[in-house]
Structures are given as C-alpha cells and as structure tokens.
Amino acid sequence: MAPRANWKGFLRLSLVTCPVALYPATSESEKISFNQLNRQTGHRIKYLKVDADTGDEVPNEDIVKGYELEKGQYIEVSKEELEEIALESTRTIEIDEFVDRSDIDPRYLIRPYYLRPDGKVGHDAFAVIRETIRELDKVAIGRVVLTNREHIIALEPLDKGLMGTLLRYPYEVRDAQEYFDEIENVKVTKDMLDLARHIVDQKSGSFEPDKFEDQYETALVDLINQKRAGKPITPKERPRGENVVDLMDALRKSVGGAAAETKAPKKGAKKPRKAGAGQKEMLMPIAGKKPAKEAAAKKPTAGARRKSA
C-alpha cells in the first residue's frame, strides 16, 4: 500500500492539466532511532513549549509566528496573513521551462519525490506530459508549495511516473571559493596520474546500491541485540591512519592492493540485504523469551524492566 501523499494538486503544461499526487521517494523511518531518557528513572523526556520569560507552558492556540527585528523585538505574522500571500503553485505545478539534465548543478538538488496521477481521471494528460519530457530528453522545471514554502521542482520520467526533485535557490548555495581559495596549486606529474588511473581502472564498475551496507546502522543493531541479551560490550580497536611520506610509493602499493582485491573477494564478507529490507527486522528476540501472553500475565516491576544504556 502506497504511503499517504505529501501534496495533491494539478500538473500543468500550458493548457494540458491533470490531477496529481506527490509522494516521498526516500525514507528514514527504517533507521534505528533513540529516545531521550531520564538516567535516574528510565522515563522518557518530554518537551514542553514554555514562555521564555515566565516559564509558563503555552497552549498551541496561543502560539503565533514572529520575525525577530532586533534582540527581543518581534513582528507577529498571523496564519491568515500568510494565507493571503499564498501563491498559485499551492495547488498547481506549472511547468515553466525545459532544460538539459547536465545544466543542473548537483549542489542545487535537495530530495526526490514520486509524482503520479491522482485518482482514475487525468491519466491520458499525465502520459502526454510524461512522454513529451521523455521524447525531448529534457528535465521540466516547475514550482510547488510544500509546508507553506515555494520550491523549484525538476521533473523527469521514471518508468510509468515522474520523479520530481526539489531544488535549492541560489541564495541557499554557498560560494565554493570561500573554502577552496587556500588550497595550494600542486603540479601532479604524469607518472603519478598514470598510477592513479591504473588504480581507477582496477576499481571501475557500475553503481549497484545493493552492494553497499550501512555499517553504522548494522553496528547499532548488533549493540542493541547484545544489550538485550545481557552480553558485555567490549570496545573495538580503531584503525590508525598513517602519514603518507612517499606519494609515489603509496600509489605503487595501492596498485598492487587494488589488483589483489579485484582477484580475490574478502573472506567472510557479508552479503548485502535486498533493497527495502529494514534494519529493524534484524532486531531479533532473545532466545528463550516467554510468549507475549505469558509475559503480559506476569509484568516485571519498573526497575526490572529498565536496562542501563
């Protein structure tokens, strides 16, 4: 079952319009997450919205938005005033132009969404817009309002639907020269480049996301399972970095190392799990754990329930 749409409205190319729904193309919900607890009681921490001066809790209906002009001086803006300046793109993604995919600087990319027809009507118009973009081999640029903010969105065909990628505005992208100006101008010799290219050739392949494993997430799962089973936690020895004294020697050794990795895969290497399989599925029950009904009949005390983090 598809998740609930983040946005519903219309996709329009000139006079061709169709109802569409926008869905997040990625998810963070499968990752391990933690709650904050009171170390003394084991109870979960709760955050309250309080007045910064009086310390009193403020109900949601009394909270308004404010822009800080100076320290402690604000201009209040009401919900109704924000709705008055709402743009047409609140309900419509208007395609403004078509550009080459290579024209979009990767720094402007934010996050991807799936776009599909909403309901049983408008599939023909959606197909016309999708196939027009595909035939031109371009990216359609439009605007969409999400969480009261207007975003630039880049649309391109993906299977039977469209993928929409939110883009940043120029003022959100920092100037690279502020960070790169102090990098020294180093002349790289042909021998060094030849060795480096040889390493790249040995490691070249096609991008297959299934080959990669989130090692930190896996380590979190192992840590939680060990603590659930009451096993001692022993810190692992961290690898030490070494300073490169002779760059040419390091490149030559790297060529040999890359060749060895290509010929013989590492022993005991974990087989990556299928895409979409959640890390939380690996949180296995402890061996000998009582059935749910039996455990519910005999609830432990609050002190016994809590384990130290």
Side-chain angles (χ1 to χ4, degrees), residues 105 107 173-183:
D105 188 323
R107 292 176 297 174
V173 179
R174 294 177 175 176
D175 185 0
Q177 293 307 313
E178 295 180 18
Y179 306 90
F180 298 160
D181 272 347
E182 296 181 7
I183 297 177

mmCIF file of all heavy atoms in Angstrom, residues 105 107 173-183:
data_model
loop_
_atom_site.group_PDB
_atom_site.id
_atom_site.type_symbol
_atom_site.label_atom_id
_atom_site.label_comp_id
_atom_site.label_asym_id
_atom_site.label_seq_id
_atom_site.Cartn_x
_atom_site.Cartn_y
_atom_site.Cartn_z
ATOM 1 N N ASP A 105 23.260 22.019 -11.538
ATOM 2 C CA ASP A 105 24.388 21.827 -10.621
ATOM 3 C C ASP A 105 23.942 20.894 -9.488
ATOM 4 O O ASP A 105 22.913 21.141 -8.851
ATOM 5 C CB ASP A 105 24.792 23.201 -10.062
ATOM 6 C CG ASP A 105 26.069 23.153 -9.241
ATOM 7 O OD1 ASP A 105 26.280 22.158 -8.526
ATOM 8 O OD2 ASP A 105 26.846 24.119 -9.314
ATOM 9 N N ARG A 107 24.751 20.668 -6.545
ATOM 10 C CA ARG A 107 24.594 21.346 -5.254
ATOM 11 C C ARG A 107 23.177 21.853 -5.032
ATOM 12 O O ARG A 107 22.775 22.119 -3.905
ATOM 13 C CB ARG A 107 25.574 22.517 -5.158
ATOM 14 C CG ARG A 107 27.038 22.110 -5.074
ATOM 15 C CD ARG A 107 27.948 23.320 -5.092
ATOM 16 N NE ARG A 107 27.840 24.064 -6.336
ATOM 17 C CZ ARG A 107 28.437 25.224 -6.572
ATOM 18 N NH1 ARG A 107 29.183 25.781 -5.626
ATOM 19 N NH2 ARG A 107 28.305 25.828 -7.735
ATOM 20 N N VAL A 173 22.938 28.275 -1.743
ATOM 21 C CA VAL A 173 24.170 27.576 -2.116
ATOM 22 C C VAL A 173 25.370 28.470 -1.807
ATOM 23 O O VAL A 173 25.467 29.589 -2.310
ATOM 24 C CB VAL A 173 24.164 27.193 -3.616
ATOM 25 C CG1 VAL A 173 25.460 26.490 -3.994
ATOM 26 C CG2 VAL A 173 22.967 26.293 -3.925
ATOM 27 N N ARG A 174 26.279 27.966 -0.994
ATOM 28 C CA ARG A 174 27.441 28.747 -0.606
ATOM 29 C C ARG A 174 28.482 28.799 -1.719
ATOM 30 O O ARG A 174 28.612 27.862 -2.500
ATOM 31 C CB ARG A 174 28.079 28.144 0.657
ATOM 32 C CG ARG A 174 27.192 28.244 1.891
ATOM 33 C CD ARG A 174 27.815 27.579 3.084
ATOM 34 N NE ARG A 174 27.025 27.768 4.294
ATOM 35 C CZ ARG A 174 27.306 27.229 5.463
ATOM 36 N NH1 ARG A 174 28.387 26.448 5.581
ATOM 37 N NH2 ARG A 174 26.543 27.448 6.508
ATOM 38 N N ASP A 175 29.229 29.885 -1.752
ATOM 39 C CA ASP A 175 30.268 30.080 -2.755
ATOM 40 C C ASP A 175 31.465 29.172 -2.439
ATOM 41 O O ASP A 175 32.053 29.254 -1.353
ATOM 42 C CB ASP A 175 30.704 31.546 -2.759
ATOM 43 C CG ASP A 175 31.712 31.848 -3.866
ATOM 44 O OD1 ASP A 175 32.060 30.919 -4.628
ATOM 45 O OD2 ASP A 175 32.161 33.004 -3.946
ATOM 46 N N ALA A 176 31.823 28.309 -3.377
ATOM 47 C CA ALA A 176 32.913 27.350 -3.161
ATOM 48 C C ALA A 176 34.254 28.041 -2.933
ATOM 49 O O ALA A 176 35.126 27.502 -2.239
ATOM 50 C CB ALA A 176 33.008 26.399 -4.352
ATOM 51 N N GLN A 177 34.435 29.217 -3.514
ATOM 52 C CA GLN A 177 35.725 29.899 -3.397
ATOM 53 C C GLN A 177 36.070 30.260 -1.955
ATOM 54 O O GLN A 177 37.238 30.377 -1.592
ATOM 55 C CB GLN A 177 35.728 31.165 -4.268
ATOM 56 C CG GLN A 177 35.674 30.882 -5.764
ATOM 57 C CD GLN A 177 36.772 29.918 -6.189
ATOM 58 O OE1 GLN A 177 37.925 30.071 -5.819
ATOM 59 N NE2 GLN A 177 36.404 28.904 -6.966
ATOM 60 N N GLU A 178 35.044 30.425 -1.113
ATOM 61 C CA GLU A 178 35.294 30.727 0.292
ATOM 62 C C GLU A 178 36.053 29.584 0.970
ATOM 63 O O GLU A 178 36.722 29.776 1.981
ATOM 64 C CB GLU A 178 33.972 30.966 1.020
ATOM 65 C CG GLU A 178 33.217 32.201 0.544
ATOM 66 C CD GLU A 178 31.912 32.379 1.294
ATOM 67 O OE1 GLU A 178 31.768 31.769 2.384
ATOM 68 O OE2 GLU A 178 31.031 33.104 0.797
ATOM 69 N N TYR A 179 35.925 28.374 0.419
ATOM 70 C CA TYR A 179 36.542 27.188 1.022
ATOM 71 C C TYR A 179 37.770 26.704 0.252
ATOM 72 O O TYR A 179 38.647 26.070 0.817
ATOM 73 C CB TYR A 179 35.506 26.053 1.093
ATOM 74 C CG TYR A 179 34.239 26.474 1.801
ATOM 75 C CD1 TYR A 179 33.178 27.029 1.095
ATOM 76 C CD2 TYR A 179 34.123 26.348 3.181
ATOM 77 C CE1 TYR A 179 32.022 27.433 1.742
ATOM 78 C CE2 TYR A 179 32.964 26.748 3.841
ATOM 79 C CZ TYR A 179 31.917 27.293 3.117
ATOM 80 O OH TYR A 179 30.776 27.702 3.758
ATOM 81 N N PHE A 180 37.821 27.001 -1.049
ATOM 82 C CA PHE A 180 38.880 26.444 -1.896
ATOM 83 C C PHE A 180 40.036 27.399 -2.151
ATOM 84 O O PHE A 180 41.062 26.996 -2.697
ATOM 85 C CB PHE A 180 38.291 26.011 -3.254
ATOM 86 C CG PHE A 180 37.248 24.929 -3.145
ATOM 87 C CD1 PHE A 180 36.348 24.714 -4.173
ATOM 88 C CD2 PHE A 180 37.165 24.127 -2.018
ATOM 89 C CE1 PHE A 180 35.390 23.718 -4.086
ATOM 90 C CE2 PHE A 180 36.208 23.128 -1.908
ATOM 91 C CZ PHE A 180 35.317 22.918 -2.940
ATOM 92 N N ASP A 181 39.891 28.665 -1.789
ATOM 93 C CA ASP A 181 40.930 29.659 -2.099
ATOM 94 C C ASP A 181 42.298 29.291 -1.513
ATOM 95 O O ASP A 181 43.335 29.576 -2.104
ATOM 96 C CB ASP A 181 40.515 31.046 -1.588
ATOM 97 C CG ASP A 181 39.686 31.792 -2.633
ATOM 98 O OD1 ASP A 181 39.659 31.332 -3.793
ATOM 99 O OD2 ASP A 181 39.073 32.820 -2.299
ATOM 100 N N GLU A 182 42.301 28.654 -0.350
ATOM 101 C CA GLU A 182 43.564 28.385 0.335
ATOM 102 C C GLU A 182 44.187 27.051 -0.066
ATOM 103 O O GLU A 182 45.245 26.678 0.455
ATOM 104 C CB GLU A 182 43.350 28.425 1.851
ATOM 105 C CG GLU A 182 42.942 29.806 2.355
ATOM 106 C CD GLU A 182 42.747 29.835 3.857
ATOM 107 O OE1 GLU A 182 43.057 28.817 4.518
ATOM 108 O OE2 GLU A 182 42.290 30.877 4.369
ATOM 109 N N ILE A 183 43.563 26.329 -0.982
ATOM 110 C CA ILE A 183 44.150 25.073 -1.454
ATOM 111 C C ILE A 183 45.361 25.389 -2.335
ATOM 112 O O ILE A 183 45.284 26.208 -3.249
ATOM 113 C CB ILE A 183 43.118 24.246 -2.254
ATOM 114 C CG1 ILE A 183 41.946 23.853 -1.356
ATOM 115 C CG2 ILE A 183 43.772 22.987 -2.839
ATOM 116 C CD1 ILE A 183 40.853 23.091 -2.074
#
